[in-house]
Structures are given as structure tokens and as C-alpha cells.
Amino acid sequence: MDRDQFFRKLRRRIRSLPPDEVERVVAYYGEMVADKVESGWTEREAVAGLGGVDALAQKILEENPNRRPRNPGRAVAVVAVSLCGILLIVLAVGAIWTWAAVGTAKDGAPLFAGWGRASAHETKTYTAGAEGIGSVRIRAEYKRVQVEAADSDKIEVEYETNGDQTYDFSSGGGVFNLKNEDRGARGWLGTKDDAPRITVRLPEGYAGGLSVDNLGYTEIAGLRSLGEVECNSDNAAIRIVDCSAQSVRIETHNAAIDLDGLAAGRVSADTTNAAIRIRSLDSPDVTLDTTNGLIAGSVRGAEEAYTVRSQTTNAVSNLSDRDGGDRKLTIRTTNALIHVEFEE
Amino acid sequence: MDAQIKKGLLDVCVLAALMQDDSYGYRIIRDVSPCVEISESTLYPILKRLEAAGCLSTRCVVHSGRLRKYYHLTPLGRARIREFYREWDEMVQIHDFIVRKGEA
């Protein structure tokens, strides 16, 4: 059996485990196979060395007390979800009612009444269990979002809010969701430094995915075992500091991207009118793309280790295209400088 | 050897494999197996348990185009190894007692 077949089967056999545990198991055994192949085993030998898929899956399942229950649990879950649904409808109707009433009372007030108001935000916290969470999704509007590592086994959210904000938190199916909407008329001003903050603290060893959509400055720091990371933001900068991840995809417009001490299996960063800065970027597959901004900084490893493609139309690049390296470095800008150093 | 005793010993062996330097799964197995037999599927729950207990921490490093997880011995892990030395002194006393009674 080849590696892909083996892991496809293994995933199927252990799918009753929480999604983050499945990912950890597959990453662990995948690394074992890769390391064995590197030290001279053939792929088939390395896979066979793990024992049969069935025996291995059996052992893994026996070791895991927190298996998701099968059918009876599902029935309970359906009832619970239905009850939550009814509760939400009741709450929603209530909220619309209240909102309509307040809306009427507000009539006649200037549209931008909020502009001059001091940001009277209060700080609240929300805590959820991280057990079984394989994916964290954050959707926010005009916030300063900080995602960081904490010495805790919980997901902790600290957020600034006022009457214009809504926050929804939910966990289910291995996913933790945070959704914030900003109903304030002055929303876009919130991208300034005084934008309300959301700080999400994840357990240090959190190994799941992370996706952030924020119309505001976003920073991810200190998480060393992330899975797939996706980060989108319009008109606001994105910064990733001292993180490791399976893959990282970043997209923004009109704002800078700053990758400082990032290690990842694959990195792609895309912005329009701003710079991309990198420091000690450590990845075998890098694509950096901007239109009017410079791309500068350093990548880990000798130049010989890279296959390089760099392109700038109206400016200069210090890189020359080369083949033969195991690592891929693709850098494109139209109107600005490219300057990338290799750190050996 | 008694399975319970072996299990306890393996935990300490894995910690000991990290004494000099951080290490990764395959290397830990290579380092430990000349002394005690240990397979990939035996090591996994040990690493998980030791990490949960705070005896080791992890970080991922890019290696040959993929991620490799390195394990690092924490002060708590070192304390666990020292504790093993103390326990072993007790074991030796118990052993001596058993041998003495057997000879008597």
C-alpha cells in the first residue's frame, strides 16, 4: 500500500475522533513515514512498518477516551440543535423588536452622530473549551484582531464592545466560530489605531486551522503548531509573528503584509498597493505578490536551496531567476523594488 | 517485565532522549529502541501524555519541504527524571529485601 492509500484509509477508520486529534495522528505518522523514507526505507516498507491500517486504527481508537459517540449521540445532537434553533428564532424576534423600537426613537438624530463620541467600549471575555476544536474561524468588522498563544487549555476571547457591536460565539463539529458585526455608521474609521480590540488566546499547542476575515488590522503571534491558516482583510495590515503552520494564505488590499519569523509548508501572500515584508521566512514553497509595493526581507536557507522566479516590471530586483533548488520562491510586483536576502 | 513497570520506564526513557537536545519522533524511537523496544504507535500516546503533563513542549520546524515536530524537555520533565532516580533507590531496596528473604 502506498502512503496516500494508507493515510486515506487511516483517516476513514479514525473519523470518530475529534477532528484536531485526527490531524495530529495523521501528521505524526506521516512524519514518521517521511523520516523513514529519508533514512533509506522505501515508502512501502515505511508504511508497512506501521503495522496494518486496521490494527493501528484500533489501537488509536482504544487510546482515545474522547471519541465522538456515533448514532445515539447524533440523535441527542439533532434535538439540541433544534432547541437552539428555536431559542435563536425567539431571541432574533426579540432583538428585531427591540431594534425596531430603538430605531424609531433614534429617528431625527444626525446620521453620523457617533463620530465625535469617545469610544465607550467595555471589555468582555468569553471562554470556550478547546478540546476537539480543529478549526477556529474569526469574522470581524473594523477591529484590531490579535490571535495569540496562551498557557491554557481553553479558547479565551477578550473583546471590546459597545451598543453598535454584535458578537456571536459558537462551537460545534470541531469548529469554533467568532462572528462580529459593526453596526456603527462610522465603521470605516475603526481601522485606525483606536479600533476596538478582539484578542483570541488559543492553547499554545493548538494544532488546528485558523481563518480570520477582518476589516481591520490583524496579528497572529506565537502559535507554533498551526494547521492551515487563512487571513483576509481589506485596507488593513496583516502581521504574523513567530508562528509555524502547515500552510498560510494571506490576502489584503491597500495594506502591508508583515511575516516575521514564520515557518510553514506553503506560504502565499497577496496585496495590492502596499509592501510585503518578510523576516527569516522558512518555507519550501513561497509566493509573494503585490502590485505597487516593495517586497523585502529575508528567507531561511542558502540561495542554492531555492528555485527562484522574481518579476518586477518597472523597478529592480536583487534576485536572479535560478533552477535546481528544492524550495520554491516566487515573487512578483509591478512597480516596486524586490530585495530578498538568503539567511544561511 | 511487568507491563505497568515497563510503561513507567518508557516515559522516562523518552524524556531522557531529550536531555541533551530537542528531538523528533523518528529519532526518539531510534535512540530509545536499542535499550527498550518501542514502536511508533507506542510512542504516540507517551508523547501526548507527557505533553499534557507539561513534561515536554513542541514546535514545528520546516525540514526538506515538510513540517517536523520537535519535542523539548521542560523543567517539569527534568524534575520527572530526577524523581525517577529517587524511585529507583526505593526499587533497589525492595529488590534487596526480596533477595534477602529468598536466601533466608
Side-chain angles (χ1 to χ4, degrees), chain A residues 21 24-25 28-29 31-32 34-36 38-39 41 49-50 56 59 63-64 224 244-246 263-264 282 284 327, chain B residues 24-26 29-30 39-45 47-48 51 58-69 71:
Chain A
E21 180 60 18
R24 260 200 295 272
V25 165
Y28 171 84
Y29 287 102
E31 184 191 308
M32 283 292 175
D35 275 325
K36 281 181 163 182
E38 209 175 287
S39 64
W41 300 47
L50 298 177
L56 183 61
K59 191 165 180 206
E63 279 155 6
N64 261 283
R224 285 274 171 212
S244 303
Q246 300 282 355
D282 191 358
R327 296 182 157 214
Chain B
Y24 52 92
Y26 182 57
I29 289 184
R30 263 191 351 215
S39 69
E40 292 88 352
S41 57
T42 314
L43 179 63
Y44 182 79
L47 290 171
K48 200 172 152 188
E51 190 181 355
T58 62
R59 76 195 149 92
C60 289
V61 170
V62 175
H63 168 81
S64 308
R66 59 190 168 87
L67 283 189
R68 191 189 253 167
K69 199 169 189 176
Y71 301 88

Tab-separated table of all heavy atoms in Angstrom, chain A residues 21 24-25 28-29 31-32 34-36 38-39 41 49-50 56 59 63-64 224 244-246 263-264 282 284 327, chain B residues 24-26 29-30 39-45 47-48 51 58-69 71:
chain	number	residue	atom	x	y	z
A	21	GLU	N	-7.694	15.809	16.686
A	21	GLU	CA	-6.926	14.611	17.018
A	21	GLU	C	-6.598	13.824	15.749
A	21	GLU	O	-5.495	13.304	15.603
A	21	GLU	CB	-7.705	13.751	18.033
A	21	GLU	CG	-7.017	12.468	18.461
A	21	GLU	CD	-5.655	12.676	19.143
A	21	GLU	OE1	-5.375	13.801	19.586
A	21	GLU	OE2	-4.881	11.707	19.194
A	24	ARG	N	-3.698	15.500	14.212
A	24	ARG	CA	-2.454	15.236	14.959
A	24	ARG	C	-1.916	13.845	14.639
A	24	ARG	O	-0.727	13.657	14.426
A	24	ARG	CB	-2.707	15.369	16.459
A	24	ARG	CG	-2.250	16.717	17.032
A	24	ARG	CD	-2.067	16.640	18.535
A	24	ARG	NE	-3.323	16.381	19.219
A	24	ARG	CZ	-4.156	17.325	19.610
A	24	ARG	NH1	-3.886	18.590	19.402
A	24	ARG	NH2	-5.283	17.017	20.220
A	25	VAL	N	-2.833	12.871	14.619
A	25	VAL	CA	-2.432	11.488	14.350
A	25	VAL	C	-1.820	11.382	12.952
A	25	VAL	O	-0.739	10.819	12.767
A	25	VAL	CB	-3.661	10.539	14.468
A	25	VAL	CG1	-3.359	9.191	13.837
A	25	VAL	CG2	-4.049	10.363	15.932
A	28	TYR	N	1.548	13.031	12.754
A	28	TYR	CA	2.575	12.252	13.469
A	28	TYR	C	3.037	11.065	12.632
A	28	TYR	O	4.235	10.887	12.386
A	28	TYR	CB	2.002	11.781	14.809
A	28	TYR	CG	2.876	10.793	15.554
A	28	TYR	CD1	3.919	11.232	16.364
A	28	TYR	CD2	2.652	9.422	15.452
A	28	TYR	CE1	4.718	10.331	17.046
A	28	TYR	CE2	3.439	8.515	16.135
A	28	TYR	CZ	4.478	8.968	16.928
A	28	TYR	OH	5.260	8.075	17.594
A	29	TYR	N	2.102	10.248	12.153
A	29	TYR	CA	2.504	9.059	11.397
A	29	TYR	C	3.058	9.437	10.019
A	29	TYR	O	3.943	8.770	9.496
A	29	TYR	CB	1.345	8.063	11.301
A	29	TYR	CG	1.090	7.375	12.625
A	29	TYR	CD1	0.046	7.762	13.450
A	29	TYR	CD2	1.944	6.374	13.074
A	29	TYR	CE1	-0.167	7.159	14.684
A	29	TYR	CE2	1.750	5.767	14.308
A	29	TYR	CZ	0.686	6.160	15.110
A	29	TYR	OH	0.507	5.566	16.320
A	31	GLU	N	4.827	12.067	9.412
A	31	GLU	CA	6.209	12.481	9.658
A	31	GLU	C	7.115	11.263	9.826
A	31	GLU	O	8.233	11.219	9.316
A	31	GLU	CB	6.256	13.364	10.916
A	31	GLU	CG	7.621	13.924	11.210
A	31	GLU	CD	7.699	14.560	12.606
A	31	GLU	OE1	6.847	15.419	12.929
A	31	GLU	OE2	8.605	14.173	13.372
A	32	MET	N	6.605	10.237	10.538
A	32	MET	CA	7.374	9.008	10.739
A	32	MET	C	7.741	8.385	9.391
A	32	MET	O	8.891	8.004	9.155
A	32	MET	CB	6.540	7.987	11.527
A	32	MET	CG	6.471	8.278	12.984
A	32	MET	SD	8.083	8.052	13.755
A	32	MET	CE	7.699	8.612	15.390
A	34	ALA	N	7.801	9.793	6.430
A	34	ALA	CA	8.720	10.659	5.676
A	34	ALA	C	10.145	10.530	6.216
A	34	ALA	O	11.109	10.485	5.449
A	34	ALA	CB	8.239	12.106	5.758
A	35	ASP	N	10.291	10.483	7.548
A	35	ASP	CA	11.634	10.367	8.136
A	35	ASP	C	12.272	9.019	7.815
A	35	ASP	O	13.473	8.924	7.605
A	35	ASP	CB	11.570	10.581	9.652
A	35	ASP	CG	11.618	12.062	10.008
A	35	ASP	OD1	12.315	12.810	9.291
A	35	ASP	OD2	10.963	12.464	10.979
A	36	LYS	N	11.444	7.961	7.791
A	36	LYS	CA	11.988	6.645	7.446
A	36	LYS	C	12.445	6.610	5.994
A	36	LYS	O	13.516	6.078	5.685
A	36	LYS	CB	10.914	5.565	7.659
A	36	LYS	CG	10.750	5.158	9.105
A	36	LYS	CD	9.686	4.084	9.189
A	36	LYS	CE	9.738	3.335	10.498
A	36	LYS	NZ	8.723	2.272	10.532
A	38	GLU	N	13.420	9.089	4.328
A	38	GLU	CA	14.632	9.896	4.245
A	38	GLU	C	15.859	9.107	4.698
A	38	GLU	O	16.967	9.342	4.215
A	38	GLU	CB	14.454	11.132	5.118
A	38	GLU	CG	15.234	12.317	4.639
A	38	GLU	CD	14.913	13.547	5.472
A	38	GLU	OE1	13.797	14.082	5.304
A	38	GLU	OE2	15.750	13.945	6.288
A	39	SER	N	15.652	8.154	5.627
A	39	SER	CA	16.830	7.421	6.097
A	39	SER	C	17.005	6.098	5.342
A	39	SER	O	17.681	5.189	5.812
A	39	SER	CB	16.752	7.197	7.607
A	39	SER	OG	15.657	6.384	7.903
A	41	TRP	N	14.539	3.831	3.860
A	41	TRP	CA	13.487	2.847	3.627
A	41	TRP	C	12.753	3.206	2.334
A	41	TRP	O	12.744	4.368	1.933
A	41	TRP	CB	12.459	2.863	4.745
A	41	TRP	CG	12.962	2.570	6.125
A	41	TRP	CD1	14.058	3.096	6.732
A	41	TRP	CD2	12.351	1.693	7.076
A	41	TRP	NE1	14.167	2.603	8.007
A	41	TRP	CE2	13.136	1.742	8.251
A	41	TRP	CE3	11.210	0.880	7.054
A	41	TRP	CZ2	12.820	1.007	9.379
A	41	TRP	CZ3	10.897	0.155	8.181
A	41	TRP	CH2	11.706	0.204	9.326
A	49	GLY	N	5.829	-0.794	8.015
A	49	GLY	CA	6.405	-0.790	9.356
A	49	GLY	C	5.450	-0.293	10.428
A	49	GLY	O	5.639	-0.536	11.613
A	50	LEU	N	4.421	0.439	10.013
A	50	LEU	CA	3.449	0.946	10.991
A	50	LEU	C	2.444	-0.130	11.402
A	50	LEU	O	1.613	0.094	12.264
A	50	LEU	CB	2.681	2.141	10.417
A	50	LEU	CG	3.499	3.379	10.053
A	50	LEU	CD1	2.607	4.444	9.418
A	50	LEU	CD2	4.184	3.948	11.280
A	56	LEU	N	-3.643	-0.550	13.549
A	56	LEU	CA	-3.203	0.766	14.031
A	56	LEU	C	-4.422	1.606	14.441
A	56	LEU	O	-4.441	2.208	15.514
A	56	LEU	CB	-2.404	1.483	12.942
A	56	LEU	CG	-1.832	2.846	13.335
A	56	LEU	CD1	-0.860	2.715	14.490
A	56	LEU	CD2	-1.142	3.524	12.162
A	59	LYS	N	-5.863	0.498	17.700
A	59	LYS	CA	-5.045	0.925	18.837
A	59	LYS	C	-5.274	2.409	19.150
A	59	LYS	O	-5.426	2.796	20.304
A	59	LYS	CB	-3.566	0.658	18.509
A	59	LYS	CG	-2.664	0.820	19.691
A	59	LYS	CD	-1.296	0.211	19.468
A	59	LYS	CE	-0.446	0.425	20.721
A	59	LYS	NZ	0.970	0.439	20.465
A	63	GLU	N	-6.987	4.090	22.592
A	63	GLU	CA	-6.267	5.023	23.456
A	63	GLU	C	-7.050	6.315	23.672
A	63	GLU	O	-6.709	7.104	24.543
A	63	GLU	CB	-4.926	5.398	22.809
A	63	GLU	CG	-3.862	4.365	23.031
A	63	GLU	CD	-2.812	4.435	21.936
A	63	GLU	OE1	-2.874	5.348	21.098
A	63	GLU	OE2	-1.939	3.554	21.927
A	64	ASN	N	-8.063	6.559	22.837
A	64	ASN	CA	-8.763	7.830	22.911
A	64	ASN	C	-10.085	7.728	23.643
A	64	ASN	O	-11.052	7.231	23.094
A	64	ASN	CB	-9.011	8.378	21.504
A	64	ASN	CG	-7.978	9.407	21.141
A	64	ASN	OD1	-8.048	10.544	21.595
A	64	ASN	ND2	-6.992	8.983	20.377
A	224	ARG	N	2.753	27.820	17.356
A	224	ARG	CA	3.850	27.072	16.736
A	224	ARG	C	3.437	25.782	16.045
A	224	ARG	O	4.255	25.056	15.514
A	224	ARG	CB	4.890	26.746	17.819
A	224	ARG	CG	5.712	27.949	18.218
A	224	ARG	CD	6.862	28.071	17.270
A	224	ARG	NE	7.632	29.284	17.394
A	224	ARG	CZ	8.208	29.837	16.352
A	224	ARG	NH1	8.040	29.346	15.146
A	224	ARG	NH2	8.941	30.900	16.515
A	244	SER	N	4.347	28.804	13.359
A	244	SER	CA	4.568	27.708	12.422
A	244	SER	C	3.208	27.183	12.001
A	244	SER	O	2.297	27.102	12.817
A	244	SER	CB	5.349	26.568	13.074
A	244	SER	OG	6.563	27.039	13.582
A	245	ALA	N	3.089	26.807	10.725
A	245	ALA	CA	1.807	26.327	10.240
A	245	ALA	C	2.031	25.383	9.069
A	245	ALA	O	3.089	25.383	8.448
A	245	ALA	CB	0.947	27.504	9.791
A	246	GLN	N	1.039	24.547	8.803
A	246	GLN	CA	1.127	23.687	7.627
A	246	GLN	C	1.127	24.552	6.371
A	246	GLN	O	1.907	24.339	5.459
A	246	GLN	CB	-0.072	22.719	7.568
A	246	GLN	CG	-0.198	21.790	8.761
A	246	GLN	CD	0.768	20.627	8.697
A	246	GLN	OE1	1.470	20.465	7.709
A	246	GLN	NE2	0.834	19.837	9.749
A	263	ALA	N	7.329	29.945	9.887
A	263	ALA	CA	7.730	28.702	9.221
A	263	ALA	C	6.458	27.999	8.772
A	263	ALA	O	5.530	27.850	9.551
A	263	ALA	CB	8.504	27.811	10.190
A	264	ALA	N	6.408	27.614	7.503
A	264	ALA	CA	5.190	26.966	7.025
A	264	ALA	C	5.493	26.108	5.808
A	264	ALA	O	6.435	26.374	5.064
A	264	ALA	CB	4.135	28.006	6.672
A	282	ASP	N	10.641	30.814	6.595
A	282	ASP	CA	11.167	29.464	6.430
A	282	ASP	C	10.083	28.596	5.798
A	282	ASP	O	9.173	28.138	6.484
A	282	ASP	CB	11.567	28.919	7.809
A	282	ASP	CG	12.369	27.636	7.700
A	282	ASP	OD1	12.578	27.162	6.573
A	282	ASP	OD2	12.783	27.124	8.750
A	284	PRO	N	9.266	25.875	2.146
A	284	PRO	CA	9.714	25.304	0.880
A	284	PRO	C	8.918	25.804	-0.320
A	284	PRO	O	9.259	25.486	-1.450
A	284	PRO	CB	9.481	23.813	1.085
A	284	PRO	CG	8.386	23.730	2.090
A	284	PRO	CD	8.537	24.917	2.990
A	327	ARG	N	13.431	24.246	-2.862
A	327	ARG	CA	12.451	25.206	-2.374
A	327	ARG	C	12.026	26.144	-3.506
A	327	ARG	O	12.831	26.465	-4.365
A	327	ARG	CB	13.059	26.023	-1.235
A	327	ARG	CG	13.392	25.173	-0.047
A	327	ARG	CD	13.951	25.990	1.089
A	327	ARG	NE	13.741	25.284	2.343
A	327	ARG	CZ	13.490	25.866	3.501
A	327	ARG	NH1	13.412	27.162	3.580
A	327	ARG	NH2	13.301	25.148	4.584
B	24	TYR	N	12.965	14.634	17.465
B	24	TYR	CA	11.686	14.401	16.792
B	24	TYR	C	11.345	12.915	16.847
B	24	TYR	O	12.186	12.077	17.211
B	24	TYR	CB	11.745	14.903	15.355
B	24	TYR	CG	12.912	14.374	14.563
B	24	TYR	CD1	12.796	13.213	13.795
B	24	TYR	CD2	14.146	15.026	14.588
B	24	TYR	CE1	13.863	12.723	13.070
B	24	TYR	CE2	15.220	14.539	13.866
B	24	TYR	CZ	15.079	13.392	13.107
B	24	TYR	OH	16.129	12.900	12.403
B	25	GLY	N	10.099	12.599	16.482
B	25	GLY	CA	9.567	11.253	16.686
B	25	GLY	C	10.479	10.114	16.253
B	25	GLY	O	10.824	9.236	17.053
B	26	TYR	N	10.888	10.149	14.989
B	26	TYR	CA	11.668	9.020	14.460
B	26	TYR	C	13.002	8.888	15.188
B	26	TYR	O	13.455	7.789	15.489
B	26	TYR	CB	11.896	9.228	12.954
B	26	TYR	CG	12.651	8.099	12.301
B	26	TYR	CD1	12.178	6.780	12.374
B	26	TYR	CD2	13.836	8.340	11.620
B	26	TYR	CE1	12.881	5.746	11.785
B	26	TYR	CE2	14.533	7.309	11.025
B	26	TYR	CZ	14.051	6.012	11.108
B	26	TYR	OH	14.751	4.987	10.537
B	29	ILE	N	12.607	7.258	18.608
B	29	ILE	CA	12.483	5.807	18.501
B	29	ILE	C	13.848	5.163	18.276
B	29	ILE	O	14.210	4.184	18.921
B	29	ILE	CB	11.510	5.439	17.351
B	29	ILE	CG1	10.096	5.815	17.773
B	29	ILE	CG2	11.611	3.961	16.998
B	29	ILE	CD1	9.031	5.449	16.809
B	30	ARG	N	14.628	5.754	17.372
B	30	ARG	CA	15.965	5.201	17.102
B	30	ARG	C	16.846	5.243	18.346
B	30	ARG	O	17.606	4.328	18.618
B	30	ARG	CB	16.626	6.002	15.983
B	30	ARG	CG	16.467	5.347	14.632
B	30	ARG	CD	17.347	6.002	13.594
B	30	ARG	NE	17.966	7.232	14.093
B	30	ARG	CZ	18.197	8.290	13.355
B	30	ARG	NH1	17.856	8.307	12.090
B	30	ARG	NH2	18.769	9.377	13.866
B	39	SER	N	7.627	1.146	19.590
B	39	SER	CA	7.155	1.327	18.216
B	39	SER	C	6.533	2.714	18.069
B	39	SER	O	6.299	3.409	19.059
B	39	SER	CB	6.111	0.260	17.877
B	39	SER	OG	4.939	0.512	18.622
B	40	GLU	N	6.239	3.101	16.823
B	40	GLU	CA	5.629	4.405	16.561
B	40	GLU	C	4.327	4.560	17.334
B	40	GLU	O	4.051	5.585	17.929
B	40	GLU	CB	5.314	4.580	15.068
B	40	GLU	CG	6.524	4.695	14.178
B	40	GLU	CD	7.030	3.346	13.698
B	40	GLU	OE1	6.528	2.311	14.188
B	40	GLU	OE2	7.934	3.332	12.845
B	41	SER	N	3.526	3.479	17.313
B	41	SER	CA	2.207	3.591	17.937
B	41	SER	C	2.294	3.526	19.465
B	41	SER	O	1.356	3.901	20.145
B	41	SER	CB	1.268	2.517	17.400
B	41	SER	OG	1.818	1.245	17.617
B	42	THR	N	3.435	3.059	19.988
B	42	THR	CA	3.630	3.109	21.444
B	42	THR	C	4.072	4.507	21.846
B	42	THR	O	3.671	5.034	22.880
B	42	THR	CB	4.728	2.108	21.886
B	42	THR	OG1	4.485	0.871	21.248
B	42	THR	CG2	4.734	1.930	23.384
B	43	LEU	N	4.901	5.102	20.988
B	43	LEU	CA	5.456	6.415	21.319
B	43	LEU	C	4.377	7.500	21.314
B	43	LEU	O	4.400	8.411	22.143
B	43	LEU	CB	6.569	6.778	20.322
B	43	LEU	CG	7.224	8.143	20.538
B	43	LEU	CD1	7.928	8.196	21.888
B	43	LEU	CD2	8.217	8.463	19.425
B	44	TYR	N	3.427	7.405	20.376
B	44	TYR	CA	2.446	8.485	20.212
B	44	TYR	C	1.727	8.841	21.518
B	44	TYR	O	1.737	9.997	21.943
B	44	TYR	CB	1.450	8.126	19.095
B	44	TYR	CG	0.441	9.221	18.850
B	44	TYR	CD1	0.770	10.341	18.104
B	44	TYR	CD2	-0.840	9.150	19.392
B	44	TYR	CE1	-0.134	11.357	17.897
B	44	TYR	CE2	-1.759	10.166	19.196
B	44	TYR	CZ	-1.409	11.265	18.442
B	44	TYR	OH	-2.305	12.273	18.253
B	45	PRO	N	1.091	7.832	22.180
B	45	PRO	CA	0.396	8.194	23.424
B	45	PRO	C	1.338	8.666	24.538
B	45	PRO	O	0.941	9.465	25.370
B	45	PRO	CB	-0.331	6.909	23.829
B	45	PRO	CG	0.306	5.826	23.054
B	45	PRO	CD	0.884	6.427	21.819
B	47	LEU	N	4.092	10.517	24.095
B	47	LEU	CA	4.379	11.933	23.828
B	47	LEU	C	3.178	12.800	24.195
B	47	LEU	O	3.314	13.862	24.789
B	47	LEU	CB	4.726	12.126	22.344
B	47	LEU	CG	6.071	11.555	21.898
B	47	LEU	CD1	6.193	11.616	20.381
B	47	LEU	CD2	7.221	12.305	22.552
B	48	LYS	N	2.008	12.293	23.850
B	48	LYS	CA	0.788	13.046	24.118
B	48	LYS	C	0.595	13.228	25.636
B	48	LYS	O	0.300	14.329	26.103
B	48	LYS	CB	-0.390	12.265	23.524
B	48	LYS	CG	-1.623	13.088	23.286
B	48	LYS	CD	-2.651	12.276	22.533
B	48	LYS	CE	-4.031	12.769	22.871
B	48	LYS	NZ	-5.072	11.900	22.315
B	51	GLU	N	3.247	15.574	27.074
B	51	GLU	CA	2.982	16.970	26.729
B	51	GLU	C	1.845	17.522	27.582
B	51	GLU	O	1.921	18.626	28.112
B	51	GLU	CB	2.645	17.109	25.233
B	51	GLU	CG	2.601	18.568	24.811
B	51	GLU	CD	2.247	18.772	23.341
B	51	GLU	OE1	2.119	17.764	22.615
B	51	GLU	OE2	2.108	19.937	22.939
B	58	THR	N	6.373	21.408	22.363
B	58	THR	CA	6.628	21.069	20.968
B	58	THR	C	6.743	22.321	20.107
B	58	THR	O	6.230	23.375	20.461
B	58	THR	CB	5.474	20.235	20.379
B	58	THR	OG1	4.284	21.026	20.418
B	58	THR	CG2	5.258	18.966	21.161
B	59	ARG	N	7.450	22.174	19.005
B	59	ARG	CA	7.451	23.231	17.989
B	59	ARG	C	7.658	22.564	16.638
B	59	ARG	O	8.264	21.493	16.562
B	59	ARG	CB	8.533	24.276	18.280
B	59	ARG	CG	9.925	23.834	17.940
B	59	ARG	CD	10.979	24.719	18.569
B	59	ARG	NE	12.153	23.914	18.851
B	59	ARG	CZ	13.170	23.764	17.999
B	59	ARG	NH1	13.157	24.381	16.836
B	59	ARG	NH2	14.188	22.991	18.289
B	60	CYS	N	7.129	23.186	15.591
B	60	CYS	CA	7.277	22.605	14.259
B	60	CYS	C	8.369	23.342	13.508
B	60	CYS	O	8.480	24.556	13.583
B	60	CYS	CB	5.967	22.704	13.486
B	60	CYS	SG	4.736	21.577	14.132
B	61	VAL	N	9.177	22.596	12.802
B	61	VAL	CA	10.275	23.174	12.045
B	61	VAL	C	10.173	22.654	10.612
B	61	VAL	O	9.867	21.483	10.403
B	61	VAL	CB	11.623	22.742	12.664
B	61	VAL	CG1	12.787	23.120	11.782
B	61	VAL	CG2	11.782	23.346	14.053
B	62	VAL	N	10.394	23.521	9.642
B	62	VAL	CA	10.363	23.055	8.258
B	62	VAL	C	11.637	22.270	7.972
B	62	VAL	O	12.731	22.707	8.260
B	62	VAL	CB	10.258	24.235	7.274
B	62	VAL	CG1	10.348	23.741	5.838
B	62	VAL	CG2	8.957	24.963	7.478
B	63	HIS	N	11.453	21.067	7.445
B	63	HIS	CA	12.586	20.216	7.114
B	63	HIS	C	12.292	19.527	5.786
B	63	HIS	O	11.255	18.888	5.649
B	63	HIS	CB	12.782	19.177	8.233
B	63	HIS	CG	13.733	18.075	7.859
B	63	HIS	ND1	15.087	18.242	7.946
B	63	HIS	CD2	13.511	16.832	7.374
B	63	HIS	CE1	15.660	17.118	7.519
B	63	HIS	NE2	14.736	16.262	7.171
B	64	SER	N	13.174	19.663	4.826
B	64	SER	CA	13.003	19.078	3.484
B	64	SER	C	11.594	19.276	2.937
B	64	SER	O	10.959	18.336	2.484
B	64	SER	CB	13.267	17.577	3.502
B	64	SER	OG	14.465	17.274	4.085
B	65	GLY	N	11.108	20.475	3.039
B	65	GLY	CA	9.822	20.765	2.413
B	65	GLY	C	8.615	20.232	3.148
B	65	GLY	O	7.534	20.124	2.585
B	66	ARG	N	8.800	19.873	4.422
B	66	ARG	CA	7.643	19.429	5.190
B	66	ARG	C	7.865	19.871	6.637
B	66	ARG	O	8.934	20.365	6.986
B	66	ARG	CB	7.514	17.904	5.131
B	66	ARG	CG	8.733	17.195	5.663
B	66	ARG	CD	8.656	15.708	5.367
B	66	ARG	NE	9.922	15.062	5.613
B	66	ARG	CZ	10.312	14.584	6.785
B	66	ARG	NH1	9.522	14.685	7.833
B	66	ARG	NH2	11.484	14.011	6.941
B	67	LEU	N	6.824	19.693	7.446
B	67	LEU	CA	6.973	20.097	8.835
B	67	LEU	C	7.410	18.917	9.682
B	67	LEU	O	6.939	17.802	9.503
B	67	LEU	CB	5.641	20.627	9.378
B	67	LEU	CG	5.247	22.036	8.959
B	67	LEU	CD1	4.040	22.482	9.747
B	67	LEU	CD2	6.377	23.017	9.134
B	68	ARG	N	8.332	19.186	10.579
B	68	ARG	CA	8.738	18.155	11.513
B	68	ARG	C	8.527	18.711	12.927
B	68	ARG	O	8.863	19.854	13.207
B	68	ARG	CB	10.203	17.823	11.279
B	68	ARG	CG	10.649	16.590	11.998
B	68	ARG	CD	12.142	16.489	11.882
B	68	ARG	NE	12.581	15.442	10.981
B	68	ARG	CZ	13.838	15.356	10.561
B	68	ARG	NH1	14.710	16.282	10.896
B	68	ARG	NH2	14.198	14.361	9.796
B	69	LYS	N	7.942	17.892	13.768
B	69	LYS	CA	7.636	18.351	15.118
B	69	LYS	C	8.782	17.994	16.059
B	69	LYS	O	9.157	16.835	16.151
B	69	LYS	CB	6.344	17.669	15.575
B	69	LYS	CG	5.646	18.337	16.724
B	69	LYS	CD	4.269	17.724	16.886
B	69	LYS	CE	3.413	18.461	17.860
B	69	LYS	NZ	2.062	17.892	17.899
B	71	TYR	N	10.381	17.952	19.924
B	71	TYR	CA	9.966	17.906	21.319
B	71	TYR	C	11.079	18.453	22.190
B	71	TYR	O	12.258	18.168	21.970
B	71	TYR	CB	9.603	16.467	21.708
B	71	TYR	CG	8.498	15.918	20.856
B	71	TYR	CD1	8.771	15.284	19.641
B	71	TYR	CD2	7.163	16.081	21.221
B	71	TYR	CE1	7.752	14.812	18.828
B	71	TYR	CE2	6.143	15.612	20.418
B	71	TYR	CZ	6.443	14.981	19.221
B	71	TYR	OH	5.432	14.529	18.418
